[in-house]
Amino acid sequence: MKPASFDYLRPATVADALAALAAEGDDARVIAGGQSLMPMLNMRLVQPRLLIDFSRLEELRTLRVEAGWLSVGAAVTQAELLSRPSLRDEVPLLAAALPWVGHFQTRNRGTVCGSVAHADPSAETPLCLVATGGEVVLRNARRRRTVKAADFFLGPLTTVKAADEIVESVRFPLAAAGSGHAFREVSMRHGDFAITACAATVDGTRASLAVGGVADRPTLRFWPLAGGALPPDLDAALNAFAWDLGGDDDQHATARYRRDLVRRIGRTVLEEALSCRR
Ligand SMILES: Cc1cc2nc3c(=O)[nH]c(=O)nc-3n(C[C@H](O)[C@H](O)[C@H](O)COP(=O)(O)OP(=O)(O)OC[C@H]3O[C@@H](n4cnc5c(N)ncnc54)[C@H](O)[C@@H]3O)c2cc1C
């Protein structure tokens, strides 16, 4: 199928983009890398009247460390972030998870912020943002606001972002000294969305596990360490978490299989994160 017809705007500045978005509201869509939006347009799942192209806005091509955060602007591609030499020290979870996002061809065009704005429950970048306690910086023509990642995602392809707002940047906290991180996922083939993905962080006092692909949004749980070790009742805790996540049967996997993956991969990544604390 081919998309319904639309107008195309390549604004010179972010202010121009925001003005167009304010004028068109629900009838406009931002296009960044187009790796999710183009298929949706082709299948006519969305039929915007106007596409506003962000991909060449240099103002949004920002990637920097500021005040303890790694800030990633809306025009930064997944490949650009992955090729950052210091990423493994700054946000090790992202460095581990990004190679699982699609293929190098899709990462060359797909943006980090686009993945967050798209809010697929199986996507790795939103999972890392929730797992690390990251934030989303939203902007419209009048103001900016910052939302915690845990409050940003509402469900599949649904977030708190208003129609006239863009995701201007996302911010990942720099990894704390003494913390360990691990990521694993199971998918049908490498490059597919995860059937279940698990991201673990262990610091001096607690362990956390974020899970994607089971609930309708990435979901995080914490447990206190017991004398520097994982909790003795971890299997029971993981089992309870797996059931709390819900999850449905679909064409890729049963809910039962997903729960089993949470129990198994969850334990594996928590043990890896504990053992690789720096
Ligand atoms: C073959 C293939 C395999 C893939 N596999 C995976 C995978 O394993 N894991 C995974 O996570 N993803 C996967 N993807 C999706 C890919 O990561 C996309 O790049 C990503 O989901 C969206 O980023 P984008 O920049 O391409 O956004 P676009 O496709 O341009 O936009 C997606 C949506 O977000 C909105 N949007 C984009 N940027 C902004 C912004 N800054 N502010 C407000 N709204 C915005 C758009 O309006 C649109 O609704 C795959 C894609 C393909 C084609």
Side-chain angles (χ1 to χ4, degrees):
M1 283 199 47
K2 295 293 170 207
S5 65
F6 53 81
D7 291 333
Y8 173 81
L9 175 70
R10 187 184 291 163
T13 64
V14 177
D16 290 347
L18 292 172
L21 206 50
E24 296 290 336
D26 279 341
D27 289 335
R29 279 272 178 155
V30 165
I31 181 161
Q35 297 302 298
S36 296
L37 186 57
M38 287 307 300
M40 290 168 69
L41 289 169
N42 285 341
M43 289 186 275
R44 301 198 178 196
L45 295 174
V46 290
Q47 299 190 21
R49 216 188 54 73
L50 175 68
L51 278 193
I52 305 172
D53 188 345
F54 269 21
S55 58
R56 300 192 199 178
L57 275 177
E58 284 305 312
E59 275 177 83
L60 296 176
R61 197 172 297 285
T62 55
L63 181 53
R64 58 179 168 244
V65 168
E66 47 190 18
W69 300 85
L70 176 66
S71 172
V72 185
V76 175
T77 65
Q78 295 147 7
E80 284 167 340
L81 180 58
L82 186 55
S83 66
R84 182 177 170 88
S86 48
L87 183 64
R88 192 161 292 280
D89 295 323
E90 291 162 348
V91 190
L93 202 52
L94 258 184
L98 276 174
W100 293 87
V101 179
H103 312 271
F104 73 85
Q105 295 93 335
T106 62
R107 293 193 295 269
N108 279 339
R109 299 303 296 259
T111 62
V112 177
C113 290
S115 178
V116 170
H118 188 58
D120 189 303
S122 297
E124 292 83 358
T125 314
L127 176 66
C128 289
L129 199 63
V130 168
T132 56
E135 295 180 344
V136 182
V137 180
L138 297 168
R139 182 177 167 190
N140 67 12
R142 288 168 288 110
R143 61 176 165 78
R144 271 192 188 89
R145 64 182 175 124
T146 301
V147 179
K148 289 189 185 314
D151 301 327
F152 180 73
F153 301 102
L154 297 179
L157 313 194
T158 312
T159 71
V160 300
K161 185 184 79 58
D164 68 343
E165 286 180 314
I166 62 163
V167 174
E168 185 179 35
S169 62
V170 291
R171 294 151 39 101
F172 297 86
L174 299 182
S179 60
H181 311 267
F183 174 88
R184 287 195 185 215
E185 75 173 45
V186 168
S187 56
M188 297 290 274
R189 299 163 303 188
H190 187 88
D192 286 359
F193 280 93
I195 291 173
T196 297
C198 290
T201 296
V202 177
D203 62 19
T205 58
R206 65 183 187 176
S208 71
L209 179 67
V211 173
V214 183
D216 64 354
R217 68 197 86 172
T219 307
L220 179 64
R221 187 149 298 182
F222 295 97
W223 298 279
L225 295 186
L230 294 172
D233 58 350
L234 184 62
D235 285 337
L238 286 170
N239 184 46
F241 187 24
W243 280 99
D244 290 348
L245 287 165
D248 297 316
D249 296 348
D250 64 18
Q251 68 272 35
H252 301 300
T254 60
R256 181 179 176 182
Y257 179 56
R258 289 190 160 93
R259 282 194 298 275
D260 203 36
L261 290 176
V262 173
R263 291 186 281 255
R264 287 164 187 264
I265 315 177
R267 174 173 271 284
T268 302
V269 289
L270 284 163
E271 288 174 349
E272 279 179 14
L274 181 70
S275 67
C276 71
R277 282 190 293 174
R278 304 172 303 165

